[in-house]
Amino acid sequence: MTYSKRYSTTEYMQVVLDHKDYESSVSPKGQITLPHEVRERLGIKPKDKITIRVEGEQMQVLSKRLSFLDSYQAIPALAKPLSIDEMRKIMPSEAVKAFSVSHESAGGQSMTT
């Protein structure tokens, strides 16, 4: 038994309005370029992983959200592990540096001058 979803007029219009075809070419190495609008819409940034799903003669490009395990060790460990006491000692100076950088990028003056 086959069922087809019945859309209300509003749902159908949303589906139609959200659909847009994009054209790209395949390089000699088999690479394709995702148009800027597609990358922006799917939240795809350089070095992100994507999933390519093939169904019959169609291909879908899906943004792949990283799981916790995928991101494991994405940030390298410190060269020298620090104790909790050592971390507590450097936290205030690191917080001042972070504030100073964010304040400067927002157009304020440096707090270190």
Side-chain angles (χ1 to χ4, degrees):
M1 200 178 263
T2 306
Y3 294 96
S4 64
K5 179 171 173 39
R6 292 184 181 252
Y7 292 99
S8 70
T9 305
T10 306
E11 288 175 319
Y12 179 75
M13 290 301 293
Q14 188 65 38
V15 170
V16 171
L17 292 175
D18 280 348
H19 178 80
K20 183 174 181 182
D21 291 333
Y22 297 90
E23 195 170 292
S24 188
S25 58
V26 180
S27 77
K29 291 183 174 183
Q31 299 167 327
I32 61 170
T33 300
L34 297 176
H36 175 76
E37 190 176 332
V38 172
R39 294 189 314 266
E40 193 172 78
R41 185 172 176 178
L42 297 177
I44 298 172
K45 295 179 178 44
K47 304 288 184 186
D48 280 357
K49 300 288 184 189
I50 60 169
T51 299
I52 298 173
R53 178 180 295 156
V54 178
E55 295 176 11
E57 295 295 315
Q58 294 187 344
M59 175 181 79
Q60 287 182 309
V61 176
L62 309 166
S63 61
K64 182 177 179 183
R65 303 291 177 213
L66 290 179
S67 70
F68 176 74
L69 290 177
D70 290 333
S71 61
Y72 178 69
Q73 292 186 334
I75 300 172
L78 296 172
K80 175 190 164 231
L82 301 175
S83 70
I84 296 293
D85 288 335
E86 290 171 315
M87 286 188 243
R88 284 188 178 128
K89 286 178 187 173
I90 65 169
M91 274 191 328
S93 63
E94 292 296 318
V96 169
K97 283 183 201 173
F99 175 79
S100 198
V101 168
S102 68
H103 187 68
E104 287 174 20
S105 65
Q109 294 181 345
S110 172
M111 300 215 23
T112 57
T113 57

